[in-house]
Amino acid sequence: MERTGQATNLLAGLPDARDGEVFTDLLTRPGVRIERIVSHGQATPEDAPMVQDWDEWVVLLEGAAGLRIEDSAELRLGPGDHLLIQAGQKHWVTWTARDRPSVWLAVHLGE
């Protein structure tokens, strides 16, 4: 989805994610990948945490979600909330809004 010299809107024309999250790569360069994630009611299964070999910085642009990292308490996220998930950390999206899309921007570092 890389476009040079043209502005696009991350919140325009969102895909329908009710049947599954939708991942769209926006920019890929050596050592960094930026993607938009659209969720709509999804959660990570408790027995299948996400674990990555790279750091991931995420910001919730729209909607609402819960996120838990390792043994920490659940974080409730709203628009503008962001955090860094370090490489190797188990993490779960505990819930996403069911009444509207939740739109994330994820920056994968050192991938």
Side-chain angles (χ1 to χ4, degrees):
M1 182 179 235
E2 293 180 38
R3 293 186 182 149
T4 303
Q6 288 185 327
T8 57
N9 188 305
L10 290 172
L11 303 176
L14 293 177
D16 185 348
R18 286 177 280 201
D19 290 332
E21 288 183 303
V22 179
F23 300 83
T24 305
D25 283 345
L26 302 173
L27 179 71
T28 303
R29 295 286 186 270
V32 65
R33 182 170 58 89
I34 301 172
E35 73 179 339
R36 179 184 69 187
I37 305 166
V38 180
S39 308
H40 199 138
Q42 288 84 17
T44 307
E46 184 62 32
D47 63 346
M50 294 177 280
V51 182
Q52 299 161 169
D53 294 331
W54 55 86
D55 292 343
E56 179 182 7
W57 177 83
V58 295
V59 59
L60 189 65
L61 301 175
E62 187 171 283
L67 185 74
R68 185 167 56 86
I69 299 174
E70 299 281 340
D71 294 327
S72 69
E74 177 186 81
L75 301 169
R76 294 182 64 84
L77 304 176
D81 290 335
H82 61 91
L83 68 144
L84 178 68
I85 302 166
Q86 294 182 341
Q89 286 187 311
K90 291 180 183 177
H91 58 285
W92 297 260
V93 173
T94 53
W95 59 273
T96 57
R98 292 185 175 279
D99 63 337
R100 64 194 183 281
S102 295
V103 182
W104 310 76
L105 184 68
V107 179
H108 303 272
L109 303 165
E111 187 177 38

